[in-house]
């Protein structure tokens, strides 16, 4: 006997509704005759990816999720370009604006949201648009061909992604934001400031604390007037100031509505037979504006419509990732430290990294990451699981260690339930990915992406997808080599080789010739190119100061309160009464709040105002200790044979000689040395990048050590007899590291990656060593003391003057 199918009508051919239908078809393929109405003239597409279309990463035809063929093969009647204008819930019928009527047994409303348009005088002028659909995207692409100036109102996720896209299209873009800092709904102040600076580096401008008052122009927009009387020119205004759920149809049909269409845990509205899902739905007082919740809602709805048991929808914890190439920002859960919570922060201005974790009752409830978001997906999973994290807080803040990380991540992934969502953007569960690997034969992230769509949108889930690949494919997993950042598919070695081969001499030239995706580059590639060019062309390359981080630009370490610390060089940790007096006098004169000995045997003057830096350096008249940059930091020594009864060699003289030899050396990452006068090793030389330990009749030379978060003991490189040999080997090692490591790669990670044997082999031939030594000498001969340079150069001193209102720290 033929089964009678029920009639299912979906209003809204967008991501939420069609996903629920797709899921239903999997659970109960023969239960319903399905009709879909969509106001837009397209099949269902990935709205998220409009940002990537605008920014040039993806073509419009690549963002279609369900082709017309899909609707056909699933026997779905599709009415595109039809807006449903009325529902007769008594006779269970819907009516479209083009005269189509459709009867239903079950009706799903998935009408999404409308962009909120500020009701400003002049908002109806030509050139004033939102950013919500394909049409808006096409208008922006067309406008950029003839017009120059764009204003984006709203510095939230959407506004910033729109602004980045418009920059890519060649427009001059300013973001008008009502608050003091951007993305305040997702970020705290430090992360927001770091983000703004990075976007400014990419060419975006900001008008902060601006209340828009009127849009000026005749037929077409000419500019925007602000409440403070100021004015900004514009040929295009994009409003991105939030969204409001599209509830008109529901309201007019007598359904209970609030901000959204009110639904219960089973996505049922107040009228029997009518459900709502996605951005239009309000569940327990929340109407979401992201895709991840709609997959969770859609799964519950599909189960119920399929007649299966479901626990119901309990609400979603959300995370966001800004989709701007070259900028890594992540935010999840409650990031603003509500009462009864404690926060842990990590800020590294040298590498441009900021992390904040918010903890309540030993559970992670929120996180903000900037610069390094590789742990975002893992942290988000912990937030969702509400797992007890006592004792693991530091590991989480400082990053799941690369060595231990794979195994600890592996066990975490193993412990995840099969239905846990790994890719929030595309609703892909752990089980679906595992199946793609185990049954589908996927052996790379690319194949998993093609097979399941996981990692195809914002890319935030990629570390987890990679983790699952390694977990289930083991040695068969193919890790595809990645570019140094989102601006290029080229890796470090290819870039260095091309710079050499084509004799590229400036950062801009490298970006142009090697076809960077972002013309301006990003916080990762700009400083690394600056380093590679300086390393390859030491005699002609002029360092690009703007490619360096704050600390290296100001030659002082920025502190959490925005002041700086000053560390003069004290060779080998040996000072004199005269120098100590000078330091004390300067500290007193400039009211330095704290004077402290560092772990590297120097004196740190903390809490110095930026404008005082040049005057202090002038009065100190000592070389910079480079306590801030990717360069030689300190050479720690013990007293050695000069005073110690165990000492076999003069560790002090050796330490001072090495520090004088290599001070100011530019390196891929910071470099620390130490010299001990006997194997008791009081200067801890075996956790330094280059450690020298005296033995009877000579020196042991050690490499690749590290203290800090991921402690690594050194490997023994060789044993030498004379002091000159120590310097020769140290020179050769440091230059070989400079020429072969990736930017920002400490010697410990580098030695681990390439293997100590390969380093030994590269250095064993004396001729090679001398050639390396000659090259490091060339580099060192070009360096100057940065403090002196600034003290003697009035133009450079100006950079330290107090900042203007829109200036940066
Ligand atoms: C540019 C952009 C980038 C985004 N990036 C992200 C991101 O990175 N991550 C993230 O999580 N979220 C992102 N979002 C948000 C995400 O796209 C939405 O959360 C998601 O699309 C909501 O899906 P929905 O189906 O509820 O609504 P929609 O996608 O808006 O779909 C609703 C559909 O219903 C149609 N419709 C409305 N009323 C009627 C009617 N009466 N009759 C017929 N059809 C009707 C509409 O035309 C629309 O096509 C982004 C949004 C935009 C605009
Ligand atoms: N990467 C992503 O996850 C992503 C990307 C794009 C859009 N989206 C989603 O799309 C939706 C829309 O994004 P959105 O950024 O418009 O919404 P939003 O509500 O997140 O941000 C709007 C921003 O506009 C600012 N604003 C409000 N009124 C203003 C005014 N008069 N002048 C200047 N600024 C003003 C607010 O302070 C806020 O920061 C959101 O739900 C968002 O989550 C997500
Ligand atoms: S390392 Fe040896 S020489 Fe140096 S202080 Fe310690 S015991 Fe003395
Ligand atoms: S979470 Fe965005 S692509 Fe997977």
């Amino acid at each position: 006997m033929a089964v009678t199918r029920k009639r299912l009508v979906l209003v809204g051919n967008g991501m939420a509704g069609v996903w629920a239908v797709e899921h239903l078809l999997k659970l109960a393929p023969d239960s319903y005759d399905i009709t879909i109405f969509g106001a837009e003239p397209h099949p269902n597409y990935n709205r998220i990816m409009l940002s990537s279309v605008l920014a040039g990463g993806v073509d419009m035809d690549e963002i279609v999720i369900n082709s017309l063929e899909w609707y056909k093969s699933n026997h779905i009647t599709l009415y595109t370009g039809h807006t449903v204008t009325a529902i007769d819930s008594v006779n269970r019928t819907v009516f479209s604006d083009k005269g189509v009527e459709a009867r239903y047994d079950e009706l799903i409303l998935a009408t999404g949201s409308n962009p909120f348009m500020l009701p400003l005088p002049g908002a109806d002028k030509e050139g004033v648009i939102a950013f919500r659909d394909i049409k808006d995207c096409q208008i922006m692409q067309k406008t950029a061909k003839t017009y120059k100036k764009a204003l984006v109102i709203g510095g939230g996720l959407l506004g910033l992604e729109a602004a980045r896209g418009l920059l890519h299209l060649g427009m001059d873009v300013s973001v008008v934001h009502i608050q003091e800092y951007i993305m305040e709904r997702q970020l705290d102040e430090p992360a927001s400031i770091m983000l703004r600076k990075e976007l400014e580096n990419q060419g975006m401008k900001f008008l902060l604390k601006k209340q828009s008052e009127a849009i000026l122009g005749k037929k077409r927009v000419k500019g925007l007037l602000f409440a403070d009387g100021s004015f900004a020119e514009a040929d295009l205004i994009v409003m991105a100031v939030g969204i409001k759920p599209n509830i008109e149809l529901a309201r007019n049909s007598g359904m209970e509505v609030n901000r959204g269409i009110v639904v219960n845990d089973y996505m049922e509205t107040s009228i029997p037979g009518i459900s709502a899902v996605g951005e239009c739905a309000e569940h327990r007082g929340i109407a979401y504006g992201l895709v991840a919740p709609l997959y969770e809602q859609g799964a519950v709805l599909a189960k119920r419509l399929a007649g299966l048991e479901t626990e119901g929808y309990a609400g979603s914890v959300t995370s966001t990732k800004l989709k701007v190439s070259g900028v890594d920002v992540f935010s999840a859960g409650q990031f603003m430290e509500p009462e009864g919570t404690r926060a842990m922060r990590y800020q590294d201005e040298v590498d441009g990294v900021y992390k904040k974790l918010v903890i309540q009752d030993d559970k992670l409830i929120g996180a903000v990451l900037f610069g390094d978001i590789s742990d975002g997906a893992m942290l988000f999973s912990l937030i969702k699981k509400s797992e007890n994290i006592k004792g693991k807080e530091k590991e989480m803040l400082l990053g799941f260690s690369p060595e231990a990380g794979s195994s600890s991540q592996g066990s975490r992934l193993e412990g995840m339930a099969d239905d846990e969502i790994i890719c929030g953007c595309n609703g892909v569960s752990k089980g679906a990915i595992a199946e793609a690997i185990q049954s589908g034969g996927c052996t790379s992230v690319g194949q998993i992406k093609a097979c399941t769509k996981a990692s195809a949108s914002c890319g935030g889930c990629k570390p987890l997808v990679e983790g699952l690949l390694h977990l289930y494919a083991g040695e068969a997993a193919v890790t595809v080599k990645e570019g140094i950042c989102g601006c290029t598919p080229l890796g470090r070695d290819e870039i260095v080789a091309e710079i050499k081969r084509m004799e590229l001499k400036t950062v801009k030239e490298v970006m142009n010739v090697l076809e960077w995706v972002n013309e301006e580059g990003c916080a990762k590639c700009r400083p690394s190119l600056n380093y590679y060019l300086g390393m390859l062309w030491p005699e002609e390359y002029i360092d690009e100061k703007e490619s360096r981080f704050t600390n290296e630009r100001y030659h002082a370490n920025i502190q959490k309160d925005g002041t700086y610390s000053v560390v003069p060089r004290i060779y080998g940790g040996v000072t004199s009464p005269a120098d100590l007096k000078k330091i004390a006098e300067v500290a007193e004169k400039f009211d330095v709040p704290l004077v402290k000995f560092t772990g590297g045997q120097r004196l740190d003057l903390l809490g110095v105002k930026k404008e005082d830096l040049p005057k202090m350096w002038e009065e100190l008249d000592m070389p910079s200790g480079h306590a801030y940059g990717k360069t030689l930091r300190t050479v720690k020594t013990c007293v050695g044979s000069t005073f110690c009864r165990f000492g076999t060699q003069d560790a002090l003289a050796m330490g001072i000689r090495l520090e004088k030899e290599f001070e100011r050396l530019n390196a891929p990452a910071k470099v620390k040395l130490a010299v001990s006068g006997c194997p008791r090793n009081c200067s801890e030389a075996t956790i330094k990048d280059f450690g020298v330990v005296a033995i009877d009749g000579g020196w042991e030379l050690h490499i690749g050590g590290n203290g800090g978060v991921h402690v690594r003991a050194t490997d023994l490189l060789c044993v030498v007899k004379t002091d000159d040999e120590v310097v020769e080997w140290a020179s050769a090692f440091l230059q070989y590291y400079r020429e072969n490591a990736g930017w920002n790669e400490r010697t410990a990670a580098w030695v681990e990656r390439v293997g100590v044997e390969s380093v030994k082999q590269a250095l064993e031939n004396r001729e090679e060593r001398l050639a390396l030594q000659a090259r490091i000498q060339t580099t060192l001969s070009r360096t100057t003391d940065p403090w002196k340079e600034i003290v003697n150069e009035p133009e450079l001193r100006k950079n330290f003057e107090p900042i203007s209102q829109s200036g940066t720290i």
Side-chain angles (χ1 to χ4, degrees):
M1 200 177 72
V3 187
T4 11
R5 292 170 182 244
K6 286 198 267 180
R7 290 162 300 191
L8 174 73
V9 171
L10 166 65
V11 180
N13 188 26
M15 296 182 76
V18 180
W19 196 83
V21 166
E22 249 189 279
H23 211 60
L24 176 62
L25 285 169
K26 282 184 198 146
L27 299 176
D30 301 317
S31 299
Y32 291 93
D33 277 329
I34 303 171
T35 302
I36 300 181
F37 289 91
E40 291 184 69
H42 313 281
N44 175 36
Y45 62 90
N46 190 338
R47 197 172 299 285
I48 296 186
M49 298 300 277
L50 288 176
S51 306
S52 310
V53 171
L54 201 64
V58 176
D59 285 337
M60 200 70 94
D61 51 9
E62 289 175 63
I63 69 170
V64 172
I65 302 177
N66 302 90
S67 65
L68 291 174
E69 193 45 49
W70 175 85
Y71 292 89
K72 222 175 178 179
S73 58
N74 284 290
H75 313 290
I76 295 172
T77 308
L78 173 66
Y79 294 101
T80 55
H82 281 244
T83 302
V84 170
T85 46
I87 302 169
D88 174 351
S89 58
V90 177
N91 295 306
R92 295 200 170 204
T93 309
V94 300
F95 304 88
S96 93
D97 61 346
K98 297 210 170 119
V100 174
E101 286 180 25
R103 302 283 313 269
Y104 67 83
D105 298 303
E106 290 288 345
L107 172 65
I108 304 175
L109 297 184
T111 48
S113 296
N114 289 321
F116 181 70
M117 300 300 280
L118 294 173
L120 302 176
D124 54 350
K125 290 195 193 309
E126 204 179 288
V128 181
I129 58 168
F131 182 23
R132 180 73 195 177
D133 53 27
I134 289 185
K135 172 182 53 51
D136 297 326
C137 202
Q138 286 168 335
I139 293 177
M140 284 190 252
Q141 286 170 324
K142 198 165 159 224
T143 308
K145 290 195 179 131
T146 26
Y147 295 97
K148 190 72 199 139
K149 280 194 177 299
L151 286 181
V152 175
I153 309 183
L157 289 157
L158 185 66
L160 297 178
E161 290 183 10
R164 188 64 195 84
L166 291 165
L167 273 183
H168 166 78
L169 294 172
M171 294 196 83
D172 172 348
V173 188
S174 299
V175 174
V176 176
H177 195 54
I178 198 159
Q179 305 287 345
E180 195 168 350
Y181 63 92
I182 55 174
M183 263 178 75
E184 80 286 351
R185 291 181 187 170
Q186 292 82 16
L187 301 179
D188 62 357
E189 197 170 350
S192 171
I193 291 173
M194 288 170 96
L195 171 65
R196 176 170 54 78
K197 285 184 190 167
E198 181 45 37
L199 292 171
E200 280 168 347
N201 281 336
Q202 294 197 5
M204 209 177 283
K205 296 173 196 154
F206 289 92
L207 299 164
L208 300 175
K209 294 212 282 187
K210 288 282 186 193
Q211 174 90 46
S212 305
E213 196 151 270
I215 293 175
L216 307 183
K218 283 192 178 143
K219 190 162 166 247
R220 189 179 179 88
V221 54
K222 275 260 179 274
L224 184 60
L225 187 66
F226 300 111
D228 61 9
S230 58
F231 167 82
E233 274 180 52
D235 305 312
L236 173 75
I237 291 184
V238 181
M239 289 205 198
V241 291
I243 49 175
K244 46 181 189 349
N246 188 352
I247 56 172
E248 284 321 297
L249 178 65
R251 192 204 307 270
N252 296 341
S253 313
M255 241 164 279
E256 185 188 346
V257 293
N258 190 20
R259 186 172 139 70
I261 306 169
V262 176
V263 293
N264 62 16
D265 289 359
Y266 302 92
M267 311 315 294
E268 291 167 309
T269 68
S270 60
I271 298 184
I274 306 183
S275 314
V277 70
E279 278 187 355
C280 66
E282 178 179 316
H283 173 260
R284 299 189 191 173
I286 304 176
Y288 294 92
L290 293 164
V291 289
L294 67 84
Y295 293 119
E296 290 167 8
Q297 296 175 354
V300 170
L301 174 61
K303 268 191 180 170
R304 180 170 60 75
L305 293 180
L308 301 173
E309 219 173 276
T310 158
E311 280 178 11
Y313 175 63
S316 301
V317 184
T318 55
S319 73
T320 49
K321 178 183 177 296
L322 182 70
K323 302 193 297 302
V324 167
S325 175
V327 183
D328 289 329
V329 205
F330 172 89
S331 157
Q334 300 181 52
F335 65 93
M336 279 311 260
E337 302 161 59
E339 211 168 302
T341 61
R342 68 194 166 97
M344 293 172 76
R345 289 183 185 75
Y346 169 89
Q347 186 159 11
D348 178 348
E349 280 271 345
V350 177
D351 291 339
V353 173
Y354 174 78
K355 300 183 182 185
K356 179 167 96 172
L357 304 183
V358 183
I359 296 161
Q360 188 171 39
D361 301 332
D362 294 326
K363 288 174 185 155
L364 185 66
I365 60 160
V368 174
L369 306 178
F370 181 88
D372 173 6
I373 59 165
S374 50
D375 288 334
M378 192 53 94
L379 294 174
F380 183 47
S381 161
L382 287 172
I383 293 173
K384 281 195 292 186
K385 274 193 188 152
S386 210
E387 200 177 295
N388 191 305
I389 54 153
K390 200 172 168 103
K392 298 182 215 151
E393 299 95 326
K394 278 213 179 94
E395 183 199 8
M396 284 164 35
L397 184 70
L398 298 170
F400 298 98
S401 86
E403 309 89 59
S406 45
S407 59
S408 69
Q409 172 167 300
S411 57
R412 273 166 211 282
L413 286 171
E414 237 172 344
M416 272 183 189
D418 266 3
D419 61 359
E420 187 165 337
I421 296 288
I422 297 288
C423 176
C425 289
N426 297 290
V428 190
S429 66
K430 175 193 162 189
I433 296 172
E435 197 185 319
I437 301 166
Q438 290 173 318
S439 315
C442 293
T443 54
S444 70
V445 173
Q447 286 174 352
I448 297 173
K449 193 200 284 189
C451 188
T452 64
K453 295 185 194 150
S455 82
S457 303
C458 76
C461 58
K462 208 159 153 216
L464 290 189
V465 176
E466 260 164 13
L468 287 172
L469 178 66
H470 287 286
L471 185 67
Y472 293 115
E475 293 202 342
V478 181
T479 313
V480 178
K481 193 173 54 60
E482 298 234 326
I484 55 167
C485 64
C487 305
T488 173
L490 299 176
R492 180 258 175 221
D493 292 349
E494 290 160 303
I495 293 168
V496 170
E498 289 298 291
I499 294 176
K500 262 200 228 168
R501 189 177 70 80
M502 295 197 265
E503 303 203 356
L504 306 175
K505 297 289 166 69
T506 65
V507 170
K508 247 299 73 36
E509 200 180 4
V510 177
M511 289 177 177
N512 284 341
V513 174
L514 301 183
E515 296 178 353
W516 243 236
V517 177
N518 280 336
E519 272 173 39
E520 303 295 327
C522 71
K524 279 195 187 131
C525 60
R526 276 194 316 269
S528 56
L529 291 182
N530 188 46
Y531 169 73
Y532 298 137
L533 288 160
M535 179 268 288
L536 290 167
W537 318 116
E539 290 176 287
E540 39 191 317
Y541 181 67
I542 299 165
D543 192 72
E544 285 192 3
K545 300 261 182 300
E546 60 280 15
S547 292
R548 290 185 176 262
F549 292 118
T550 309
N551 289 350
E552 293 189 276
R553 287 206 298 265
Y554 293 113
H555 299 283
N557 244 335
I558 192 164
Q559 306 297 312
K560 63 190 262 193
D561 61 357
T563 63
Y564 288 78
S565 83
V566 169
V567 184
R569 193 164 288 286
I570 297 179
Y571 298 95
V574 178
T575 182
S576 64
D579 273 350
L580 286 174
K581 263 194 214 154
K582 202 157 51 170
I583 292 171
E585 278 163 15
V586 168
E588 263 183 0
K589 178 167 176 186
F590 289 91
D591 263 341
V592 171
L594 182 71
V595 181
K596 184 192 173 298
F597 286 102
T598 70
Q601 304 177 330
R602 308 190 281 185
L603 275 164
D604 197 345
L605 311 183
L606 290 137
V608 179
K609 292 197 269 312
K610 189 172 83 181
E611 53 267 34
D612 285 344
L613 289 171
K615 286 177 265 167
M616 272 183 79
W617 298 335
E618 193 165 17
E619 300 211 7
L620 276 171
D621 192 26
M622 292 170 79
S624 160
H626 284 92
Y628 40 83
K630 296 187 189 299
T631 171
L632 176 81
R633 294 285 178 93
T634 54
V635 182
K636 190 170 174 177
T637 60
C638 74
V639 289
S641 60
T642 321
F643 286 99
C644 179
R645 62 203 164 90
F646 299 111
T648 59
Q649 306 281 354
D650 189 348
L652 285 181
M654 175 51 78
I656 293 170
R657 181 171 170 187
L658 287 171
E659 189 153 354
K660 292 205 159 154
E661 189 77 25
F662 301 119
E663 66 175 316
R664 305 196 289 261
L665 180 72
N666 241 330
K670 63 183 169 192
V671 174
K672 294 180 180 179
L673 272 59
V675 184
S676 285
C678 86
R680 286 176 178 77
N681 191 16
C682 294
S683 70
E684 299 155 345
T686 46
I687 51 161
K688 299 292 180 220
D689 296 278
F690 190 82
V692 182
V693 180
I695 51 171
D696 264 346
W699 303 95
E700 275 179 2
L701 305 184
H702 296 257
I703 57 168
N706 193 20
V709 184
H710 307 307
V711 181
R712 182 181 194 273
T714 46
D715 292 298
L716 180 65
L717 176 66
C718 62
V719 176
V720 298
K721 288 208 173 83
T722 66
D723 292 4
D724 287 347
E725 282 175 293
V726 173
V727 176
E728 178 184 313
W729 279 87
S731 303
F733 169 74
L734 289 174
Q735 181 63 10
Y736 187 64
Y737 162 61
R738 295 183 73 240
E739 291 179 5
N740 291 284
W743 180 79
N744 208 13
E745 188 174 32
R746 292 287 304 268
T747 61
W750 171 66
V751 168
E752 195 112 299
R753 179 168 66 81
V754 300
V756 68
E757 286 311 314
S758 83
V759 181
K760 281 185 183 171
Q761 264 174 28
L763 303 183
E764 71 188 359
N765 177 316
R766 174 127 208 265
E767 258 176 53
E768 291 292 330
R769 278 202 308 279
L770 292 179
L772 285 161
Q773 189 173 16
R775 293 207 287 279
I776 206 168
Q777 284 304 333
T778 308
T779 293
L780 288 164
S781 69
R782 315 288 302 184
T783 61
T784 50
D785 184 72
W787 289 0
K788 285 229 156 49
E789 228 178 276
I790 293 163
V791 165
N792 296 329
E793 183 53 73
E795 264 314 297
L796 294 177
R797 283 182 87 132
K798 278 194 191 148
N799 293 335
F800 292 80
E801 286 166 6
I803 50 172
S804 62
Q805 187 231 333
S806 63
T808 52
I809 296 174

